[in-house]
Amino acid sequence: MGLLVTFSIFNLLLLLLILLVCVNGGRIPSTVDGPFKPITIPLDKSFRGNAVDLPESDPRVQRLVQGFQPEQISVSLSSTYHSVWISWITGEYEIGEDIKALDGDRVDSIVLYGVYGKPLTKKARGYSLVYNQLYPFQGLQNYSSGIIHHVRLTGLKPNTLYQYQCGDVEEGISTNLYYFKTMPKSGPKSYPSRIAVVGDLGLTYNTTSTIEHLTSNHPDLILLVGDVSYANLYLTNGTGTDCYSCSFPDTPIHETYQPRWDFWGRYMQPLISNVPIMVIEGNHDIEPQAENQTFVAYSSRFAFPSEECGSSSTLFYSFNAGGVHFIMLGAYAPYDRTSDQYKWLEDDLASVDREVTPWLVASWHAPWYSTYTAHYREAECMRVSMEDILYKYGVDLVFNGHVHAYERSNRVYNYSLDPCGPVHITIGDGGNREKMAIAHTDEPGNCPKPSETIDPFMGGSCAFNFTSGPAAGKFCWDEQPEYSAYRESSFGHGILEVKNETHALWTWHRNRDMYKVSGDVIYIVREPEKCPSGQELRSRK
């Protein structure tokens, strides 16, 4: 009882601290009030918990359908409001040294749909595929998926609730009714009510807490900023670990246990069969296999609006959600200025009409601005290549994952406080089984060597010492950098509520708190008169 009282008192004190920090004169602070002095919330070790994966025996990940009945149903957006994608899987996967793939044409990909409360008068057909995860080494288990279906629904009305059934409806193999709501029509006064943002989910008991909290906030859209199932923390025989390279240093190829993707899809179905989810790839989704193939599960299991937005890849794309234009960038695809991604990004940014979509939000996996030792400045080459163009076109907000903690920046550009720079938010605290990021590079003895920050999949080394300011001549700061406004190591998720063309409310929610409590809250304020989009970069001293 005494321990519970101690926990309760701690929570009350922490809540009071947060209120004192976040509330300015009885109101929610905004970025116009900043830049803010850096805040670090001390680590609460008692509430960290153990990030333990859900076992295969958990009823929430079990296959509950028979034959070719659909399962793992999800909704994702097309590039505009009048179109969405419905995805699902039929049939059972196979795993073993010798496998026989299912016939992708065995069942049709059909969705019946209509406005809620009315007959399902519309029918759409899509396409199906089966993917393999193959290893050219004796003794490893190969995998062949069930039949994955993707169907695009078109001609939809904005901000409207629809109902649907999916499957081979002409053969009587279909689902019960599911529902989704379309995005509002793009315009300066038209926005989804709540956009949930989460990263580095995996499928642990911490993940389930995150999803329960997230669901309680009733989002209209979910943004998953990379690292989905963490199937690559397992050998092909199903043996898992918190650190693959530590436990299995001698494997000839980085193995994965692909059924973890199926478990993840089954667990998430109650939420994402009704709420659209948009995903961008992370490093745990690379999953190399035979013939140097990568990202096969990621690219096969989700539908992406790549073709609709002119992208040549599932690793980078864009879409609109009301008056917000989202740019999903690939940290693990070529991003230099001669790459297809960079050329696509230039065209996409140039085509954005800020009178129609005032808000410009970018997302990718590995953060440019993080003060944790984990993955510190790992994406520096990407930042050097792309930061200028994002600044030029006035990106308002950036979401990243990768670092398993929470951090929000002041407005920043090129490591300097800048009232026209975007706010960068790292939210890789979804709950996966890897360790939470705790150590900060500005703490004594924690600064890594530049040679230790290179990621083989991101390409090259662009590490350098700072040339001016409090960190001049150093690779790390000696104190929490001025660009870092708030940081805390705790599992959670975020909610973005765009109120109008200039104000958006951002709240971060810890898993350990009550559902409606906010750990961090701030208004992100656009100032288009001060920072017009498409502006030429100003000269820097």
Side-chain angles (χ1 to χ4, degrees):
M1 179 64 72
L3 186 61
L4 290 175
V5 171
T6 301
F7 283 176
S8 298
I9 293 173
F10 177 86
N11 274 337
L12 286 172
L13 291 174
L14 187 60
L15 182 57
L16 288 172
L17 173 63
I18 291 164
L19 289 172
L20 288 172
V21 168
C22 294
V23 179
N24 180 9
R27 64 180 180 87
I28 296 173
S30 77
T31 51
V32 175
D33 301 321
F36 300 97
K37 292 183 178 180
I39 293 173
T40 300
I41 299 298
L43 178 67
D44 175 19
K45 297 180 181 180
S46 64
F47 283 92
R48 282 192 59 219
N50 294 318
V52 177
D53 274 339
L54 267 64
E56 298 186 26
S57 59
D58 192 291
R60 291 170 289 184
V61 304
Q62 293 292 299
R63 187 171 190 261
L64 301 178
V65 300
Q66 301 294 322
F68 288 93
Q69 288 288 333
E71 65 158 349
Q72 303 181 50
I73 303 164
S74 65
V75 182
S76 57
L77 300 180
S78 186
S79 57
T80 56
Y81 71 86
H82 48 67
S83 176
V84 304
W85 287 91
I86 307 295
S87 304
W88 69 93
I89 294 180
T90 56
E92 296 189 62
Y93 65 79
E94 289 197 28
I95 189 165
E97 291 190 48
D98 297 311
I99 56 174
K100 183 178 180 181
L102 290 171
D103 178 4
D105 297 325
R106 170 66 176 77
V107 288
D108 279 341
S109 309
I110 300 174
V111 175
L112 299 180
Y113 62 104
V115 174
Y116 173 72
K118 296 183 178 181
L120 305 180
T121 56
K122 295 187 177 183
K123 180 168 69 174
R125 289 180 180 271
Y127 67 94
S128 61
L129 61 96
V130 173
Y131 81 87
N132 300 315
Q133 185 81 13
L134 304 176
Y135 299 101
F137 300 99
Q138 187 175 4
L140 301 191
Q141 304 291 299
N142 295 316
Y143 172 94
S144 185
S145 72
I147 303 170
I148 301 171
H149 305 262
H150 299 300
V151 178
R152 186 182 176 198
L153 313 187
T154 58
L156 305 177
K157 299 177 182 179
N159 206 32
T160 301
L161 184 63
Y162 281 83
Q163 56 190 12
Y164 71 96
Q165 290 178 305
C166 61
D168 191 340
V169 296
E170 295 175 351
E171 294 293 328
I173 306 172
S174 62
T175 63
N176 295 324
L177 286 175
Y178 289 89
Y179 308 89
F180 67 86
K181 188 177 182 181
T182 52
M183 291 295 104
K185 185 176 181 179
S186 292
K189 301 185 183 301
S190 180
Y191 301 95
S193 296
R194 294 182 186 86
I195 301 168
V197 187
V198 66
D200 301 68
L201 265 181
L203 190 56
T204 69
Y205 292 101
N206 297 93
T207 307
T208 62
S209 178
T210 299
I211 295 302
E212 288 169 3
H213 280 71
L214 184 155
T215 302
S216 74
N217 277 317
H218 305 291
D220 299 302
L221 173 65
I222 302 166
L223 208 66
L224 175 50
V225 294
D227 284 358
V228 182
S229 73
Y230 285 79
N232 76 334
L233 291 184
Y234 286 77
L235 298 180
T236 61
N237 63 12
T239 302
T241 177
D242 295 339
C243 174
Y244 184 97
S245 60
C246 307
S247 300
F248 314 125
D250 300 321
T251 54
I253 190 172
H254 192 127
E255 302 173 32
T256 75
Y257 186 58
Q258 288 294 297
R260 296 300 303 184
W261 281 96
D262 295 285
F263 303 158
W264 190 91
R266 291 166 187 161
Y267 172 76
M268 292 293 289
Q269 177 180 303
L271 176 61
I272 63 178
S273 59
N274 299 306
V275 180
I277 184 169
M278 304 303 287
V279 183
I280 197 65
E281 85 279 2
N283 59 300
H284 283 276
D285 308 316
I286 297 172
E287 299 186 329
Q289 58 168 299
E291 299 180 351
N292 296 318
Q293 291 194 70
T294 54
F295 295 110
V296 177
Y298 159 87
S299 296
S300 300
R301 289 176 178 268
F302 298 102
F304 303 91
S306 301
E307 182 177 349
E308 298 101 278
C309 71
S311 169
S312 61
S313 172
T314 60
L315 304 182
F316 51 89
Y317 61 92
S318 66
F319 65 96
N320 289 340
V324 185
H325 185 71
F326 285 93
I327 300 171
M328 311 292 279
L329 297 178
Y332 304 95
Y335 47 69
D336 63 79
R337 299 188 183 191
T338 64
S339 66
D340 288 345
Q341 179 174 199
Y342 192 92
K343 293 173 183 176
W344 167 83
L345 176 61
E346 279 188 306
D347 292 341
D348 190 84
L349 288 170
S351 69
V352 175
D353 184 349
R354 301 301 282 270
E355 296 296 320
V356 178
T357 52
W359 286 87
L360 190 51
V361 177
S363 180
W364 59 91
H365 187 57
W368 296 348
Y369 291 97
S370 170
T371 61
Y372 290 85
T373 56
H375 309 298
Y376 180 65
R377 297 178 73 180
E378 189 175 274
E380 188 69 8
C381 289
M382 185 183 181
R383 186 194 70 80
V384 170
S385 177
M386 289 185 158
E387 187 174 28
D388 284 357
I389 192 170
L390 296 186
Y391 181 86
K392 175 182 176 180
Y393 281 95
V395 167
D396 301 298
L397 189 55
V398 171
F399 291 115
N400 305 116
H402 202 38
V403 177
H404 301 162
Y406 175 75
E407 186 165 16
R408 170 176 54 83
S409 79
N410 286 302
R411 290 195 176 275
V412 61
Y413 167 74
N414 195 25
Y415 290 106
S416 300
L417 297 177
D418 190 310
C420 297
V423 173
H424 289 252
I425 294 175
T426 298
I427 190 159
D429 57 345
N432 73 82
R433 70 179 290 170
E434 288 188 318
K435 293 180 180 179
M436 176 164 286
I438 297 172
H440 307 110
T441 58
D442 47 272
E443 295 164 342
N446 282 351
C447 184
K449 297 178 181 178
S451 60
E452 298 172 347
T453 66
I454 300 172
D455 182 277
F457 288 98
M458 296 196 70
S461 172
C462 297
F464 59 85
N465 289 344
F466 294 102
T467 57
S468 61
K474 304 171 186 175
F475 187 61
C476 301
W477 296 57
D478 291 334
E479 58 186 12
Q480 184 175 353
E482 60 184 0
Y483 67 74
S484 174
Y486 183 102
R487 63 188 184 187
E488 181 175 354
S489 297
S490 186
F491 294 118
H493 76 282
I495 297 289
L496 179 68
E497 302 175 65
V498 182
K499 303 298 185 180
N500 54 43
E501 57 265 50
T502 59
H503 286 68
L505 179 65
W506 168 254
T507 54
W508 172 63
H509 301 264
R510 304 184 197 86
N511 287 358
R512 70 171 184 261
D513 292 333
M514 294 178 292
Y515 287 150
K516 300 302 180 182
V517 173
S518 300
D520 182 35
V521 57
I522 190 169
Y523 274 108
I524 311 296
V525 180
R526 298 183 62 248
E527 298 183 273
E529 297 82 9
K530 177 190 287 187
C531 308
S533 60
Q535 67 181 7
E536 293 299 324
L537 289 174
R538 294 172 295 170
S539 59
R540 293 292 193 276
K541 293 182 180 180

